[in-house]
Amino acid sequence: MLVLPRESRKLFKDPFGTLHRDMNTVLPELAGRIVYTVGDVVTHNLQKNGITPAIAVVDGQTMRSPCSRMPELSGECIRVKNPPGTITDDLVKALTYAVDHPPVTIMVDGEEDLAVIPLVIAAPPSSVVLYGQPREGIVLRTIDDGAKAAAKELLMQFVRVGT
């Protein structure tokens, strides 16, 4: 399991992509692209606009409280444990599998926030990852070599614990 040290957490506060204030500005950017989502609210709002993500990573929470807008689960559902501040090997395996077998919903017992990083690494070029930036909007990250390099750089901030 990879653990994010407390002193590195500040690196993850800024949006890891382009911040949009609402879904209406995001929708035009999604045409013809494979879309992946991380977070219950962003997944729900995308589905409300008629788009089902190829992969949805959800945990039943929004800002650490139960989510009242639980998205509809689509395709295969994989359940993984992922404690806050970590990226577990099971989460990475589920994301890698899901990229090759969409649609997949990954239901996280714990916290899904950091799934954006391994998802960007696993996702194919020109696809899009969306996630919510609390109290600010929706972050859109188009997958290209720069996105993958930036995600790998962030991943280097983590410390491996256990086997």
Side-chain angles (χ1 to χ4, degrees):
M1 161 172 31
L2 296 173
V3 176
L4 183 61
R6 189 162 302 283
E7 63 272 11
S8 296
R9 292 185 183 182
K10 65 185 176 298
L11 299 172
F12 293 79
K13 297 293 182 199
D14 292 331
F16 184 56
T18 305
L19 179 64
H20 292 262
R21 295 292 171 203
D22 60 59
M23 188 60 76
N24 292 331
T25 62
V26 171
L27 294 173
E29 307 247 0
L30 306 181
R33 295 182 184 265
I34 299 169
V35 180
Y36 305 115
T37 58
V38 176
D40 297 69
V41 174
V42 73
T43 302
H44 170 82
N45 289 339
L46 191 66
Q47 290 174 334
K48 197 168 75 177
N49 282 280
I51 300 172
T52 299
I55 299 172
V57 185
V58 296
D59 66 0
Q61 303 279 310
T62 183
M63 294 191 291
R64 306 222 183 343
S65 298
C67 184
S68 62
R69 292 180 276 185
M70 186 65 179
E72 291 180 34
L73 303 181
S74 60
E76 185 176 354
C77 184
I78 300 172
R79 295 185 181 276
V80 298
K81 289 188 185 304
N82 195 78
T86 71
I87 297 174
T88 62
D89 294 339
D90 285 345
L91 176 61
V92 173
K93 287 177 194 168
L95 291 167
T96 303
Y97 171 86
V99 166
D100 293 331
H101 300 90
V104 174
T105 299
I106 298 173
M107 179 61 85
V108 176
D109 177 6
E111 193 173 273
E112 92 287 67
D113 301 14
L114 295 172
V116 169
I117 299 161
L119 182 53
V120 166
I121 293 168
S126 298
S127 60
V128 171
V129 174
L130 298 176
Y131 70 93
Q133 185 79 10
R135 296 181 189 80
E136 293 187 47
I138 301 156
V139 178
L140 181 150
R141 186 67 190 228
T142 301
I143 306 304
D144 57 17
D145 291 340
K148 288 181 179 287
K152 288 175 183 173
E153 188 97 4
L154 287 172
L155 203 56
M156 290 172 55
Q157 300 301 313
F158 287 75
V159 175
R160 179 161 289 282
V161 297
T163 54

